[in-house]
């Protein structure tokens, strides 16, 4: 295995939670495999025309990461920032900044797409752009709970009546179509008392439609995060809501526990796996409620590998890097 030159496009290094951050774990794993790392913010990407078609750079610094051994010890060491040519100076770019999946995110993906065939970008930026979490999942309605994507309150009220008629009850969950981390996810009671106000807020905050689904009581048993690496299951954790919450995301107080896959979940992975691999989506986290209902396919900046490895004794970071190394080798020998 030859050493790779890897740049990580991510949120500020100083702000991450090293105890559970998947990007930090991937960086540690890369170092352990002998790869050299650089760090940059997506806002520093710059493209300019040139005689050979264009040049994409980032204001980046070489970085080493380490787990702090004492209070106050830093988890990273940066070298000097300089313009990094993302073709001539690199082999791999990890696109790991968190959503929101807004025009800035989409533009960054467009710019990174210019590297196709020259520098490997993981996950593939074209496919990340085409597969936002709560939109890509709509391609698999056979695995989803009943779902509405709309903006009109009349459509939501009609959907609520349909859910009652179909035995799901009248409680709904409303969430932004391009949200993340369990933020701005609301439960609407069957009475619909707060529905009008919520629709007003969503209409003022976001131009896009929002997603509406029946509230699934099985969420109390957990919301499972399953990680797939190049289309293959790497492991899973079950996330349970904290006290007084129905959201199970770890970012909003949920707790993780060890788990396996149900037959239904294994079927979902078998169906999704080949498509994820074909799209160049190397690291993906899918969410399944109650062992049955697929709710999201996370491709922008998936998380969960630290908890999975802690419970299962696995090394998901090494699996991801093995897949990246194989893809890079295939690209340079094509």
């Amino acid at each position: 295995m030859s050493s790779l030159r890897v740049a990580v496009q991510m949120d500020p290094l100083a702000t991450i939670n090293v105890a559970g951050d998947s990007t930090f774990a991937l960086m540690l794993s890369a170092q352990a495999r002998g790869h050299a790392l650089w760090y940059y913010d997506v806002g520093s990407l710059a493209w300019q025309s040139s005689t050979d078609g264009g040049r994409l750079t980032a204001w980046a610094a070489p970085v080493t990461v380490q787990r702090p051994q004492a209070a106050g010890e830093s988890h990273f060491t940066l070298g000097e920032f300089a313009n990094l040519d993302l073709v001539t100076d690199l082999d791999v770019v990890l696109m790991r900044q968190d959503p929101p999946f807004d025009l800035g995110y989409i533009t960054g993906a467009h710019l990174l797409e210019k590297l196709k065939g020259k520098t490997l970008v993981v996950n593939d930026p074209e496919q990340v752009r085409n597969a936002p979490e709560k939109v890509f999942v709509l391609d698999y309605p056979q695995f989803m709970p009943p779902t509405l994507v709309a903006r009109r309150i009349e459509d939501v009220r009609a959907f609520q009546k349909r859910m009652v008629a179909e035995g799901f009850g009248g409680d709904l969950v409303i969430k932004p179509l391009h949200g993340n981390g369990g933020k701005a996810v609301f439960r609407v009671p069957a009475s619909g008392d707060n529905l009008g106000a919520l629709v007003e807020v969503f209409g003022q905050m976001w131009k896009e439609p929002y997603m509406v689904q029946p509230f699934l009581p099985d969420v109390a048993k957990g919301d499972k995060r399953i990680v797939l690496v190049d289309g293959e299951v790497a492991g899973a954790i079950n996330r349970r809501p904290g006290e007084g919450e129905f959201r199970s995301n770890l970012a909003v107080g949920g707790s993780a526990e060890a788990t396996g896959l149900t037959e239904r979940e294994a079927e979902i992975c078998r169906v999704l796996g080949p498509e994820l691999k074909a799209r160049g989506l190397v690291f993906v986290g899918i969410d399944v409620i109650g062992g049955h209902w697929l709710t999201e396919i996370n491709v922008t900046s998936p998380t969960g590998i630290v908890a999975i490895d802690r419970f299962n004794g696995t090394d998901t970071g090494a699996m991801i890097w093995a897949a990246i190394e194989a893809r890079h080798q295939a690209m340079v020998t094509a």
Side-chain angles (χ1 to χ4, degrees), residues 118-324:
K118 304 170 185 176
T119 300
L120 179 65
V121 183
V122 178
N123 286 323
D124 183 287
E126 178 184 5
Q127 295 305 326
V128 168
R129 192 181 68 241
N130 291 339
E133 273 72 330
K134 297 181 184 68
V135 178
F136 184 20
V137 73
L138 302 181
D139 289 350
Y140 301 93
Q142 70 270 34
F143 298 128
M144 296 180 68
T147 298
L148 170 72
V149 176
R151 282 179 63 86
R152 296 194 323 134
I153 192 169
E154 293 85 358
D155 293 324
V156 181
R157 294 196 189 282
F159 181 76
Q160 191 172 37
K161 289 181 180 177
R162 175 192 154 196
M163 292 303 94
V164 172
E166 294 183 6
F168 283 93
D171 285 16
L172 301 176
V173 171
I174 299 182
K175 48 193 171 183
L177 198 61
H178 298 303
N180 70 299
K183 300 181 186 74
V185 178
F186 294 92
R187 181 176 175 179
V188 177
S191 63
D193 293 343
N194 61 344
L195 180 57
L198 274 179
V199 168
E200 288 175 7
V201 169
F202 272 63
Q204 292 171 4
M205 292 292 295
W206 297 285
K207 293 182 179 180
E208 64 270 14
Y210 41 85
M211 178 173 278
V212 186
Q213 294 173 326
F215 172 74
L216 302 171
D218 276 350
V219 74
K221 301 176 184 176
D223 179 359
K224 196 171 295 186
R225 163 58 56 89
I226 306 169
V227 167
L228 295 97
V229 176
D230 232 6
E232 300 294 330
V233 174
I237 53 170
N238 193 43
R239 302 169 297 179
R240 289 185 180 271
E243 186 175 352
E245 267 285 359
F246 71 93
R247 299 173 298 171
S248 57
N249 307 72
L250 301 184
V252 293
S255 59
E257 61 186 16
T259 189
L261 301 189
T262 65
E263 289 186 13
R264 165 82 164 191
E265 290 164 344
E267 179 190 3
I268 292 171
C269 293
R270 283 194 299 272
V271 172
L272 265 60
E275 179 66 14
L276 300 177
K277 184 171 184 176
R279 285 175 176 245
L281 298 170
V282 175
F283 178 11
V284 175
I286 69 171
D287 296 337
V288 182
I289 291 178
H292 190 80
W293 299 112
L294 176 67
T295 58
E296 291 190 18
I297 304 173
N298 298 275
V299 305
T300 50
S301 183
T303 61
I305 67 173
V306 175
I308 286 173
D309 290 345
R310 183 171 70 247
F311 287 123
N312 298 340
T314 49
D315 190 347
T316 307
M319 293 176 62
I320 292 170
W321 279 110
I324 292 171

Side-chain angles (χ1 to χ4, degrees), residues 73-95:
E73 185 176 315
S74 178
H75 55 278
F76 66 95
T77 303
L78 288 178
E80 291 191 14
F81 278 88
N83 265 327
L84 189 73
D85 189 304
L86 300 192
V87 172
T88 60
D89 297 334
L90 288 180
D91 301 302
V92 177
V93 172
L94 288 187
M95 187 166 64

